[in-house]
């Protein structure tokens, strides 16, 4: 199988989820063996390799750094490129964080899929682990990567609340990433929103690009206050346990989004991964620790 890249340039713009800063990102074709590289056009073309060695922070998202140049919330675009089988691309970014768009990978996938991919005259270099990797995190979380000839993923989220509760989702080669995984949006709990705002996070978040879960009773006055903070005229709690103004694409959309994140974060291991991935309660810290273990092994 040969390596691939994009057929043309695709541009996206919008605010960053955590910084709230407006940025433009352009995905461009790249030559064989380039991998994925982020170029900060506002910092003189500083280059950030999309590799585990560049991971700088995993608080609420995956942030890469090379020198003084940063690129935050890269997991969605990395997942999109991986799900579509893109080996090589340059991402030009004119700010510190990727635009959140609708909180999923769908905008990237929709744009690229219209044209298909360009095949390059070079053999694909799959990332294959030689032996089983197990990484354990906090609260009983773990991720296991096993040698396999067929890439596959199975992840379980397990929250001590009615919604999202426990959800197990899977994805393997041949499944339709574009329709089954890419549209699934990021999520958070309503009780987390205020602390995130106080910490200077989620400045670009709203109920149009994130599923907001309500697992505790909230008085009406607080909902009104939160609606104002999020720039919404009115918010209610749906019977399913999440804020109004958004409809779920799937009953297990939260689990599917966590799978989307795992796919994007593990791409930092050095390329397209050919292995079986199983994870329980994954998160960016655990995912990127596993990506580093992959990178170190290969």
């Amino acid at each position: 199988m040969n390596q691939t890249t994009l057929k043309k340039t695709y541009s996206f713009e919008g605010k960053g989820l955590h910084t709230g800063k407006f940025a433009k990102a352009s995905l461009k074709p790249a030559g064989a063996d380039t991998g994925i590289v982020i170029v900060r056009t506002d910092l003189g073309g500083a280059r950030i390799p999309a590799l585990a060695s560049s991971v700088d922070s995993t608080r609420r998202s995956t942030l890469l750094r090379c020198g003084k140049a940063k690129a935050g919330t890269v997991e969605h675009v990395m997942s999109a490129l991986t799900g579509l089988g893109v080996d090589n691309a340059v991402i030009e970014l004119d700010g510190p964080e990727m635009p959140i768009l609708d909180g999923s990978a769908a905008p990237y996938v929709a744009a690229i899929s219209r044209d298909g991919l360009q095949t390059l005259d070079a053999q694909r270099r799959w990332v294959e682990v030689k032996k089983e990797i197990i990484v354990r995190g906090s609260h009983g979380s773990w991720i296991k990567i096993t040698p396999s000839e067929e890439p596959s993923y199975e992840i379980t989220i397990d929250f001590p609340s009615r919604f999202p509760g426990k959800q197990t989702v899977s994805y393997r080669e041949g499944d339709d990433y574009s329709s089954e995984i890419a549209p699934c949006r990021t999520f958070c709990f309503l009780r987390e929103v205020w602390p995130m705002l106080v910490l200077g996070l989620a400045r670009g978040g709203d109920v149009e690009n994130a599923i907001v879960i309500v697992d505790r009773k909230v008085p009406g006055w607080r909902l009104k206050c939160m609606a104002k903070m999020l720039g919404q005229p009115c918010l209610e709690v749906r019977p399913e346990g999440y804020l109004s103004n958004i409809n779920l694409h799937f009953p297990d959309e939260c689990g599917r989004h966590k799978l989307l994140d795992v796919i994007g974060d593990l791409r930092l291991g050095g390329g397209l991964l050919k292995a079986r991935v199983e994870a329980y309660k994954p998160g960016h810290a655990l995912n990127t620790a596993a990506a580093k273990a992959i990178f170190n092994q290969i």
Side-chain angles (χ1 to χ4, degrees):
M1 180 179 291
N2 282 19
Q3 294 182 33
T4 63
T5 189
L6 308 175
K7 281 191 174 179
K8 65 179 188 181
T9 297
Y10 303 92
S11 295
F12 308 87
E13 55 186 34
K15 59 190 175 182
L17 176 62
H18 298 298
T19 62
K21 293 183 178 179
F22 190 89
K24 179 179 179 180
S26 295
L27 280 55
K28 297 190 169 188
D33 299 324
T34 300
I36 310 299
V37 178
I38 300 169
V39 177
R40 282 290 301 271
T41 56
D42 58 324
L43 296 178
R47 297 171 70 85
I48 309 170
L51 295 171
S53 55
S54 300
V55 174
D56 184 65
S57 172
T58 54
R59 187 174 68 171
R60 308 297 308 187
S61 68
T62 298
L63 184 147
L64 306 180
R65 177 202 287 266
C66 185
K68 294 183 179 180
K70 298 180 182 180
T73 316
V74 300
E75 58 270 17
H76 299 169
V77 68
M78 293 299 292
S79 184
L81 294 171
T82 303
L84 291 175
V86 179
D87 293 276
N88 308 287
V90 170
I91 303 170
E92 293 188 348
L93 179 64
D94 68 358
E97 185 180 15
M98 290 292 297
I100 189 60
L101 305 177
D102 73 344
S104 77
Y108 301 116
V109 168
I112 296 168
S113 295
R114 283 193 290 266
D115 300 300
L117 302 180
Q118 177 185 168
T119 302
L120 300 173
D121 188 20
Q123 283 291 109
R124 170 172 289 169
R125 298 180 179 182
W126 288 100
V127 170
E128 301 182 64
V129 296
K130 299 174 182 177
K131 58 182 180 180
E132 182 179 271
I133 293 171
I134 298 180
V135 178
R136 301 188 186 279
S138 58
H139 308 293
S141 62
W142 54 265
I143 187 164
K144 180 168 71 172
I145 299 141
T146 310
S148 173
E149 283 302 307
E150 180 183 277
S152 66
Y153 299 80
E154 182 175 286
I155 72 106
T156 297
I157 63 171
D158 193 358
F159 291 92
S161 57
R162 185 170 59 91
F163 184 81
K166 188 173 184 177
Q167 299 176 1
T168 298
V169 296
S170 60
Y171 171 78
R172 63 179 59 250
E173 190 174 29
D175 292 347
D176 188 2
Y177 174 90
S178 299
S179 63
E180 299 294 321
I181 305 299
C184 299
R185 296 155 294 188
T186 191
F187 66 93
C188 66
F189 289 87
L190 182 63
R191 55 182 161 80
E192 297 175 318
V193 173
W194 174 250
M196 282 196 292
L197 291 171
V198 170
L199 288 170
L201 301 173
R203 292 177 180 175
D206 57 45
V207 290
E208 301 305 320
N209 59 31
I211 300 166
V212 182
I213 300 164
V214 184
D215 63 340
R216 299 174 184 174
K217 189 171 182 179
V218 183
W221 66 266
R222 180 163 291 182
L223 279 178
K224 290 181 180 178
C225 179
M226 296 299 293
K228 185 176 180 180
M229 292 169 64
L230 292 169
Q232 296 293 322
C234 179
L235 289 174
E236 298 177 347
V237 180
R238 292 185 183 274
E240 296 90 342
Y242 59 93
L243 286 187
S244 56
N245 288 20
I246 204 169
N247 292 309
L248 295 183
H249 296 317
F250 304 93
D252 57 356
E253 184 169 355
C254 293
R256 291 177 189 234
H257 182 81
K258 283 289 190 179
L259 174 55
L260 183 157
D261 282 345
V262 168
I263 293 171
D265 284 337
L266 290 186
R267 178 61 187 270
L268 301 175
L272 294 171
L273 179 64
K274 185 186 284 188
R276 174 166 174 75
V277 177
E278 301 167 84
Y280 178 68
K281 302 196 329 189
H284 296 299
L286 184 68
N287 301 344
T288 56
K292 288 178 181 177
I294 295 168
F295 186 76
N296 291 337
Q297 190 181 110
I298 65 171

